[in-house]
Amino acid sequence: MPTGHLFIDLEAVAANWRALDRASAADCETAAVVKADAYGLGLAQVAPRLAQEGARAFFVATAAEGLELRRILGPEPRIYLLYGHMPGDTATIQRADLVPMVCSLAQLILHLEALPRQPFGLQLDTGMNRLGLRDGEWAEVAAHALKAEPVLIMSHLASADDPDSSQSGEQLARFRAMTDGVPVPRSLAATGGTLLGPDYHFDMTRPGVGLFGGFPFTQAEPVVTLDLPVIACFDVEAGECVGYNATWTAPAATRIATVAGGYADGLPRALQPDLDLMAGPVPCRAVGRVSMDLIGVDIGHLDNDPEALRVLGPHHGIDTLAHAAGTIGYEILTSLGRRYDRHYRS
C-alpha cells in the first residue's frame, strides 16, 4: 500500500500556462520553468504537456536537469540553465545543446573560452543579490559580452509576489538602465512579474510556480490532490494522549484515525497543530505530532470511519497547507514524497 495517492492534473498545468501566456504582452514569448523535476510533479510528464500546449523555451537549474529534459523533449525546444556554466558542465552543455545563463565574470570567461560557438545568455543582478553581474561588472564587460552575441539577458525580481512592494519598480528601473538600447532579447518576469503587468514583460516571461497552482497566481487552476489512506481507527477517552511526547490530550471522548503519511512524504512536522484533513467537505483536525510515516486525525464528529482523508485538493491547496506549516507553496510542492502512488490526468 502506498502512503498516499497523489493526483496531478496536467490539463490544469496546461491551462495555467495558457492563462499566463494570455497575461503576457502580445509580442512576448512565454517560457516554462520546470526545474527540480517540474517542482516535484514529474518532469517526464509535465514538460511534454507544456510543449504540446506551445511552450518552446524551458528553464531548469542544473546541467543534469537540462540533459534529462533534452532527452524528454528532443532537439527543438531551447533549454536554459539558471546555474549558468558551472565547472565540469562543459561537455553536458555542448552535448545537450543547452543555453547557460552566465551569472558571473568567471562563468563568462569559462564559457567564451570553452564553448565560443555555443549559445549563452547573461544574468544581471538588479537588487536581489543572489546571481548575476552587478552594475560595475556589467559596465566592465558589456561590450565584450555583447560582441559574443548572447541570446537572452535576464534578471530576477525579489518581491514580485507582493504587488505593493517598491522593490519591483526599483529593479525594473535598474534593469532598464543596464539594458535599454541593447539589441538582445530581455526577460525580467517570472510568475509574479508576469502578473505585475506589461512593463515587466519585455521579450520573454518565464512562469514557474504559477503553472502548478501556486501563489501569487491566485486564479490558477488547482493541479494537485493528495489523499492519505486510513490505516486504523480507534476510540480514546478524555485525558488520553495521542502521538509522540503526548503533545495532544483528548478534552473529551472521541475517535482517532491514523493515516499513512508524514514528514518522510513531504508533510512537515510543523503542520500540527494547524493541519486540517478533509473527509469530503468536512474538515478533521490533525492531533498529536506529525511523525515520519503517520498522522493522527480527530474524526469523532464523523458519522462513519473514512477510508481516506484529503490533505490537498481544490478547496485546500498548496498555499493553505504551506501557511499551516509556516512555509511557502514552493516548499510543499517540491517536497511531496516519492512513496505516493502518482496518477496523471492529461
Side-chain angles (χ1 to χ4, degrees):
M1 182 191 74
T3 56
H5 295 275
L6 182 65
F7 301 89
I8 299 166
D9 190 340
L10 297 177
E11 175 53 36
V13 175
N16 291 335
W17 184 87
R18 290 194 301 268
L20 290 164
D21 184 45
R22 290 192 299 271
S24 300
D27 57 349
C28 174
E29 180 177 9
T30 303
V33 180
V34 291
K35 60 186 178 179
D37 195 32
Y39 286 61
L41 299 186
L43 186 66
Q45 292 78 23
V46 169
R49 185 65 185 87
L50 288 168
Q52 177 186 341
E53 203 57 38
R56 292 294 176 266
F58 293 82
F59 285 80
V60 294
T62 71
E65 290 178 346
L67 177 59
E68 180 183 4
L69 183 57
R70 180 62 72 202
R71 288 169 172 162
I72 292 168
L73 293 182
E76 181 183 349
R78 179 164 276 178
I79 300 172
Y80 298 88
L81 301 182
L82 292 167
Y83 279 5
H85 193 146
M86 297 284 287
D89 287 342
T90 299
T92 301
I93 290 170
Q94 185 175 40
R95 174 186 173 193
D97 190 23
L98 308 175
V99 182
M101 296 302 299
V102 167
C103 56
S104 69
L105 292 177
Q107 284 198 1
L108 180 63
I109 294 168
L110 170 62
H111 185 80
L112 295 182
E113 289 181 350
L115 295 174
R117 288 178 293 278
Q118 180 76 24
F120 74 102
L122 294 164
Q123 296 191 59
L124 304 181
D125 180 9
T126 55
M128 192 169 189
N129 292 315
R130 190 173 67 169
L131 290 178
L133 300 171
R134 298 167 73 89
D135 285 299
E137 294 172 321
W138 177 235
E140 179 183 342
V141 302
H144 182 62
L146 294 172
K147 186 177 179 180
E149 299 182 345
V151 297
L152 183 70
I153 296 177
M154 66 166 277
S155 188
H156 193 62
L157 296 169
S159 302
D161 58 349
D162 178 6
D164 295 324
S165 172
S166 62
Q167 187 178 15
S168 295
E170 293 165 1
Q171 286 191 256
L172 173 62
R174 194 168 177 183
F175 189 59
R176 286 196 173 280
M178 295 173 79
T179 62
D180 276 356
V182 173
V184 178
R186 294 179 289 178
S187 177
L188 181 61
T191 298
T194 302
L195 300 174
L196 289 177
D199 286 348
Y200 292 84
H201 294 169
F202 294 93
D203 301 291
M204 177 190 285
T205 58
R206 41 180 213 280
V209 73
L211 302 177
F212 309 111
F215 181 83
F217 188 22
T218 56
Q219 303 305 309
E221 295 283 338
V223 171
V224 292
T225 301
L226 175 60
D227 293 336
L228 301 182
V230 173
I231 301 172
C233 298
F234 53 91
D235 296 320
V236 296
E237 299 298 325
E240 289 192 275
C241 301
V242 173
Y244 282 121
N245 300 116
T247 59
W248 183 82
T249 302
T254 190
R255 191 160 177 80
I256 301 296
T258 301
V259 299
Y263 54 76
D265 306 292
L267 301 173
R269 189 170 182 261
L271 278 169
Q272 210 285 327
D274 293 320
L275 172 63
D276 283 328
L277 293 85
M278 306 299 292
V282 181
C284 302
R285 180 55 56 100
V287 295
R289 284 186 171 159
V290 174
S291 58
M292 183 179 291
D293 313 291
L294 302 168
I295 301 172
V297 185
D298 186 349
I299 59 167
H301 55 300
L302 300 182
D303 294 332
N304 299 291
D305 292 346
E307 294 184 1
L309 291 169
R310 179 158 291 178
V311 181
L312 289 168
H315 304 296
H316 199 247
I318 57 172
D319 292 300
T320 301
L321 195 66
H323 180 74
T327 184
I328 57 176
Y330 294 78
E331 186 172 1
I332 297 296
L333 273 177
T334 57
S335 299
L336 291 173
R338 294 300 174 189
R339 295 193 293 186
Y340 297 137
D341 188 6
R342 294 185 172 217
H343 309 264
Y344 289 90
R345 171 182 176 261
S346 57

